[in-house]
Amino acid sequence: DADVTQTPRNRITKTGKRIMLECSQTKGHDRMYWYRQDPGLGLRLIYYSFDVKDINKGEISDGYSVSRQAQAKFSLSLESAIPNQTALYFCATSDSGTSGRNKDEQFFGPGTRLTVL
Amino acid sequence: AQSVSQHNHHVILSEAASLELGCNYSYGGTVNLFWYVQYPGQHLQLLLKYFSGDPLVKGIKGFEAEFIKSKFSFNLRKPSVQWSDTAEYFCAVNIAAGNKLTFGGGTRVLVKP
């Protein structure tokens, strides 16, 4: 969905380096999420934010941090990258203000493929 | 906490064959159910969703899913697949009062021409 963009799309880095992945959205949604995808494990939630002042840990937050710089921007940082953080990372958004049928639908960005050597 | 199981990790079938992908979840309360598809090299797209009402849900591209509450299942079906249905399919669940999706491990579907 072009309304949710992620940069970079691909990144190769070395163990110990600090990495930031960025997500921007033009959908006007208040809720944003970061997931990682690993083969056979589906998508797992790293962090989520229900508004600019609200940050919550997901199921696998260790080794990651996030920043919600504005309603439209949500960045994910790896403070000191390690090889088992090699994965495909997705940002997603949803809108708490829509009516019931659409409220819980999440819209995904194109993903960032991160390789940690 | 809820969990989601997709029992088939890989499915290979020929064009025009019927497809059924299983999805079971573990949570006793009210849930919202989703199927997402990820075509090769692309991001996740919503195929269909169930919130309430008719348990047989129709989605895009000829897909449908049936919610069977007594079996905690939400299986995805398509009567006749095409080569372009080659993708990975993810079932996802969230508790009606919350807003966090829990995903299954995904099923890779390969449709041979």
Side-chain angles (χ1 to χ4, degrees):
Chain A
D1 192 321
D3 298 324
V4 184
T5 58
Q6 292 182 234
T7 56
R9 294 293 311 277
N10 289 282
R11 181 71 184 269
I12 300 173
T13 190
K14 295 182 178 180
T15 297
K17 293 291 187 181
R18 184 178 188 275
I19 297 296
M20 180 181 286
L21 310 183
E22 298 188 353
C23 176
S24 295
Q25 52 112 347
T26 58
K27 299 185 78 67
H29 290 173
D30 53 342
R31 299 180 172 190
M32 299 186 73
Y33 311 79
W34 274 105
Y35 294 89
R36 65 176 280 175
Q37 182 183 11
D38 299 277
L41 298 179
L43 276 74
R44 293 179 292 166
L45 185 62
I46 306 172
Y47 271 95
Y48 61 103
S49 169
F50 282 177
D51 66 40
V52 174
K53 296 181 180 180
D54 176 78
I55 301 290
N56 304 281
K57 292 182 177 180
E59 59 182 304
I60 54 163
S61 59
D62 288 348
Y64 301 94
S65 62
V66 291
S67 174
R68 186 83 184 265
Q69 300 96 322
Q71 187 183 39
K73 295 184 182 296
F74 192 38
S75 60
L76 175 73
S77 294
L78 287 66
E79 298 302 325
S80 180
I82 56 177
N84 76 1
Q85 291 177 313
T86 293
L88 188 55
Y89 290 84
F90 286 102
C91 175
T93 73
S94 69
D95 183 3
S96 67
T98 53
S99 60
R101 291 194 65 83
N102 293 318
K103 183 173 76 70
D104 294 322
E105 181 177 343
Q106 294 186 15
F107 296 83
F108 287 81
T112 294
R113 186 167 295 280
L114 177 65
T115 302
V116 183
L117 302 176
Chain B
Q2 68 267 34
S3 64
V4 182
S5 297
Q6 292 181 240
H7 309 295
N8 307 101
H9 298 295
H10 293 90
V11 172
I12 301 174
L13 61 170
S14 299
E15 279 192 311
S18 64
L19 174 69
E20 180 161 0
L21 303 181
C23 173
N24 288 89
Y25 65 93
S26 63
Y27 181 71
T30 302
V31 293
N32 299 321
L33 300 155
F34 305 80
W35 275 99
Y36 282 86
V37 60
Q38 185 179 29
Y39 297 105
Q42 297 188 27
H43 60 92
L44 276 77
Q45 303 170 41
L46 184 68
L47 264 183
L48 48 78
K49 57 190 177 184
Y50 172 81
F51 282 71
S52 63
D54 188 344
L56 184 62
V57 180
K58 294 192 183 298
I60 61 172
K61 304 186 180 185
F63 285 91
E64 65 179 29
E66 184 176 13
F67 171 50
I68 304 180
K69 189 174 181 179
S70 61
K71 295 184 177 180
F72 299 91
S73 70
F74 189 54
N75 292 353
L76 181 71
R77 298 193 293 254
K78 185 170 184 177
S80 177
V81 295
Q82 300 172 314
W83 174 80
S84 58
D85 293 321
T86 292
E88 189 160 15
Y89 294 81
F90 294 93
C91 181
V93 172
N94 76 350
I95 300 172
N99 197 257
K100 293 185 295 178
L101 285 178
T102 299
F103 283 85
T107 299
R108 287 185 181 271
V109 174
L110 173 62
V111 180
K112 294 183 175 181

